[in-house]
Amino acid sequence: MSPIDDLPPLRAVIAEHQLSARKSLGQNFLLDLNLTAKIARQAGDLSACDVLEIGPGPGGLTRGLLSEGARKVLAVEKDARCMPALEQIAAAYPGRVEIINGDALEIDPLAHLTAPIRIAANLPYNIGTELLVRWLTPKDWPPFWQSLTLMFQREVAERIVAQPGSKAYGRLAILAQWRCDARIVMSLPPNAFTPAPKVSSAVVVLTALPEPKFPADAETLSKLVAAAFNQRRKMLRAALKGFAPDIEDRLIAAGLKPTDRAEQIPLEGFCALARTLKT
Ligand code: SAM
């Protein structure tokens, strides 16, 4: 198979810049450029898009995104050791790569991006969920991004696409599925990464819907779901009693049974309850 670009293989890049993986930064690198190009293809047509990539590391996915035609990649990487490798990629794709050496939780990428924007990342496991929740809960909808193509530990990916009645169903499923189409599109075994993590991984694609599937106030829904799943084994009338003195009436008004448990309630039911609770 022909290489995706004229840059050195990733193993050589890692050796040259001495990028030994650091656990504290969640570093499990993808070194197979055919695989990173395949992940980039899951992100859809990138040719008219700016792509925000969090945690490019030595740049395997960055190279995949560029070879798949991304108009521009904004790469935000905390580890300064990766900068020379990323600068080499920027030089090979003039005008199409911007690198920020910083913490993705601290920086505001919007000043560096032009719509339409997509996000793609093999996320560091320690901040992956926090970033996802931030991207899913902006004040206004639609969000600044059109789609998220994200690698997670398999267990987190399953929580994002989970359906009512399953153990994985919870806050993440509701937040993701309320305003996005969410699908697992690829599964990867531990040995796809260097070093191999203990668990399997999966790529999830979340596509922002123009409007939420059911009307609800975002803040009320978010708080409601957090409280309901915080005590997921309890009946809703007990788990949500702090929400309103007449919570039983409100549950009934929303078409729910006060004795139901959070994990049985579909998205539509939580949205209906959020509407009855909004003052
Ligand atoms: N994208 C590369 C790949 O697929 O081979 C690396 C993925 S590795 C799982 C996660 C990357 O995120 C590492 O390069 C790590 O240094 C970086 N990282 C960790 N915490 C970060 C943070 N707070 N902000 C930005 N990057 C971070």
Side-chain angles (χ1 to χ4, degrees), residues 188-205:
L188 287 91
N191 66 11
F193 301 84
T194 304
K198 288 202 176 71
V199 294
S200 295
S201 301
V203 177
V204 184
V205 176

Side-chain angles (χ1 to χ4, degrees), residues 25-30 53-58 61 76-79 102-105 122-124 126-127:
L25 286 167
Q27 291 182 334
N28 299 99
F29 300 132
L30 288 167
E53 185 192 0
I54 305 300
L61 181 57
V76 181
E77 172 56 59
K78 191 171 177 182
D79 187 350
D103 184 336
L105 294 174
N122 174 12
L123 288 170
N126 48 345
I127 62 164

Side-chain angles (χ1 to χ4, degrees), residues 48-156:
C49 292
D50 280 9
V51 181
L52 169 62
E53 185 192 0
I54 305 300
L61 181 57
T62 321
R63 288 164 64 172
L65 293 164
L66 290 161
S67 75
E68 290 304 314
R71 178 174 70 189
K72 169 182 168 175
V73 177
L74 175 65
V76 181
E77 172 56 59
K78 191 171 177 182
D79 187 350
R81 296 178 308 154
C82 297
M83 293 304 116
L86 295 170
E87 274 150 20
Q88 222 175 352
I89 300 171
Y93 290 92
R96 290 174 60 197
V97 182
E98 186 177 344
I99 307 157
I100 298 181
N101 182 199
D103 184 336
L105 294 174
E106 307 290 331
I107 66 126
D108 176 9
L110 275 182
H112 304 262
L113 294 163
T114 308
I117 298 162
R118 294 182 189 264
I119 299 179
N122 174 12
L123 288 170
Y125 74 95
N126 48 345
I127 62 164
T129 313
E130 180 168 351
L131 280 172
L132 174 64
V133 170
R134 282 191 194 185
W135 290 327
L136 290 174
T137 54
K139 213 165 141 288
D140 299 314
W141 199 268
F144 74 87
W145 47 269
Q146 288 188 334
S147 70
L148 310 172
T149 301
L150 304 174
M151 178 88 68
F152 287 103
Q153 299 172 60
R154 175 97 209 169
E155 174 257 324
V156 178

